Structures are given as C-alpha cells and as structure tokens.
Amino acid sequence: MRLYGVVAVGGFRRYAAYRMATVAGVFTNTVFGFIIAYTYIALWDQRPQLGGYGIEQALTYVWLGQALLAACAMMGGGFENELIERIRTGDIAVDLYRPADLQAFWLAADLGRACFHLLGRGVVPVAIGALVFDLALPSSPLTWAAFLLAVLLGLIVSFALRYLIALSAFWLLDGTGVTQLSALAGMFFSGMLLPLNVFPGVLGEIARALPWSSYLQIPADVLLGVRTGTGLIEAYAFQAGWAIVLLTAGRLLQTAATRRVVVQGG
C-alpha cells in the first residue's frame, strides 16, 4: 500500500510541475464556465425548473462541471495515452514483470493526477463563479463530505473505463479512435453539456443508467441535496457497482493481455 501511496503523490507532483498549463487550464475552465452559465440562464429563463433544477442549482451544476472536467478526464488527458503508447512500443512488457499490480499502479497515479486537477483547476473557477452568480452551495460539512465521496467514486469509475480503453491497444495497436469515441461519450453521457435530468423519456433513463453519469450528474445531485437518505445510498451503490464491474473487467482483460505478452515473448 505504501508503494501505491508514493505513486499517487508522484502523480500529484507530476502535474503540479506544469504551472503555466495549470494557469491556462484555470483560465479556459473559467471562460467556458461563463459561456455555459449565460447559456443556462437564457434556457432556464424560458424553462424554469427544467430538469427539476432552479436557476441557482443549474448555475452550480455548470461550475461544478468545470471543476470536474479535468479531474474526471472527460475529454481525455489522463494516463490512457501514456499506457497506450507503452503498449504500442512494447514497453508494457517491463511493467507487467514488475513487482507491482499494473491496474493498482495506474489507478494510484491517476488518483494523484485527479486530486491535483480538483485543487489546481477546480477550486478557482468555482470560487469565481460563486463571486459572480448566486450558487446553491451547501453550508453543511456533511453534505460536502458526501459530495467528496461521490466524486471519489466517480473518479474510480472514470479510471476503470479509461483503463479498459487503454488495454484495448493490445489488440487494436492504436487506441486513438477508441479514446476519441470514449471522450465524446463521456462529454455527452456524463451530463457535461446538459444535466441528464433534462434528457427526455428512454434516452434519459439510458443516460442515467450508464457509468458516465457517475462523473458529474451523481456528484452534482449529492451536492445540490437532490440525493439524500436512501437516495444517497442508492447513488453510492450505483457508482460502486459500476466501479466493481469495470475494474473486474479490466482485471480480466489485463490477465488476457499478460498471457498474450508471455506467449509472444516465449
């Protein structure tokens, strides 16, 4: 466990070293936050209580999305590109023979990265949004704690999905297409463009049942007090269930990939 803790800290420090990139990311998230916020204001002016949200809740959702965008790697930019490249070049063979679990190693590194982005690229845009707009931010520490747990589970689901995509490079050799498709799906089905509560009928039910809803929609509902009591437990169970399923699938795919490397190496 100590090894993976060191790896997580290393992942945090690695991204903290890129100060200008962080400043640029904060600027970009803030600008897009304003653009989307004013779009939401116009939309909610025509359709008050759309998706069950008031305007303050909708604006809070906007800025929360900007805070979680990089942390959940909704548009890519996580570990997956590096892992795909190591698979493509064959360097992954060295990783597989190391006395560390491949999945746990990359999970620790990605959680370190995500933690940095939450602090480095998430806090400032939300603070600026709170200064300009009336946001529905909770005052209860328990609500914030519940929200952070939902975020953690969402980060694990995000990792598990991207890990599966990266491992597909063992068979596809080039994971660019799959990565891009995943980023598009993540942006749409996470609720980054519009809250999933707004999606009508069957489309909404499907979107809310997919793992991407763990990235933003569920943490947002927890923060906004939409999910409390039994609803909160159900939200955690949903996220944890997807995390277990996807991590298990990644473990099985990793085992198959290891056998493939051993056979080819032999």
Side-chain angles (χ1 to χ4, degrees):
M1 292 300 295
R2 181 180 179 184
L3 169 64
Y4 302 117
V6 171
V7 172
V9 172
F12 184 98
R13 290 179 175 175
R14 176 182 179 183
Y15 284 86
Y18 298 101
R19 297 177 182 177
M20 291 307 299
T22 300
V23 173
V26 169
F27 176 78
T28 302
N29 287 138
T30 303
V31 169
F32 275 96
F34 277 106
I35 293 173
I36 299 172
Y38 283 113
T39 302
Y40 272 39
I41 289 173
L43 180 59
W44 257 258
D45 184 59
Q46 297 298 316
R47 297 285 302 275
Q49 297 299 318
L50 181 63
Y53 289 159
I55 184 59
E56 291 184 359
Q57 290 177 307
L59 291 174
T60 304
Y61 185 95
V62 169
W63 291 103
L64 182 59
Q66 295 305 308
L68 294 176
L69 177 62
C72 289
M74 296 183 198
M75 299 179 66
F79 72 95
E80 58 272 23
N81 291 332
E82 182 179 350
L83 181 53
I84 288 172
E85 181 63 18
R86 293 188 68 81
I87 294 172
R88 189 187 67 81
T89 60
D91 292 339
I92 191 66
V94 178
D95 300 337
L96 290 172
Y97 283 107
R98 286 175 179 166
D101 180 75
L102 186 69
Q103 187 182 58
F105 178 92
W106 286 103
L107 173 59
D110 196 59
L111 288 177
R113 175 204 61 81
C115 184
F116 170 76
H117 281 312
L118 275 176
L119 298 174
R121 291 184 58 172
V123 173
V124 174
V126 172
I128 294 174
L131 289 173
V132 178
F133 303 99
D134 291 327
L135 303 185
L137 296 175
S139 57
S140 172
L142 292 178
T143 303
W144 282 104
F147 162 71
L148 290 176
L149 179 55
V151 169
L152 175 60
L153 291 171
L155 293 176
I156 295 174
V157 172
S158 171
F159 163 81
L161 269 170
R162 289 178 288 120
Y163 188 70
L164 280 172
I165 290 166
L167 290 185
S168 70
F170 275 105
W171 291 268
L172 300 177
L173 299 182
D174 184 3
T176 302
V178 180
T179 303
Q180 291 176 347
L181 287 175
S182 174
L184 290 173
M187 286 292 291
F188 185 78
F189 289 111
S190 67
M192 189 66 200
L193 301 179
L194 274 174
L196 300 183
N197 298 340
V198 175
F199 289 14
V202 176
L203 175 61
E205 293 178 4
I206 293 174
R208 289 186 289 272
L210 293 174
W212 291 285
S213 64
S214 297
Y215 293 10
L216 172 58
Q217 185 65 60
I218 289 179
D221 283 344
V222 172
L223 186 70
L224 294 171
V226 175
R227 291 180 179 267
T228 57
T230 304
L232 181 60
I233 295 174
E234 290 176 351
Y236 289 154
F238 175 85
Q239 291 179 296
W242 269 117
I244 292 170
V245 168
L246 293 170
L247 288 173
T248 301
R251 177 73 59 186
L252 295 173
L253 199 61
Q254 175 184 314
T255 301
T258 302
R259 290 175 181 172
R260 180 184 178 91
V261 171
V262 170
V263 170
Q264 290 180 345

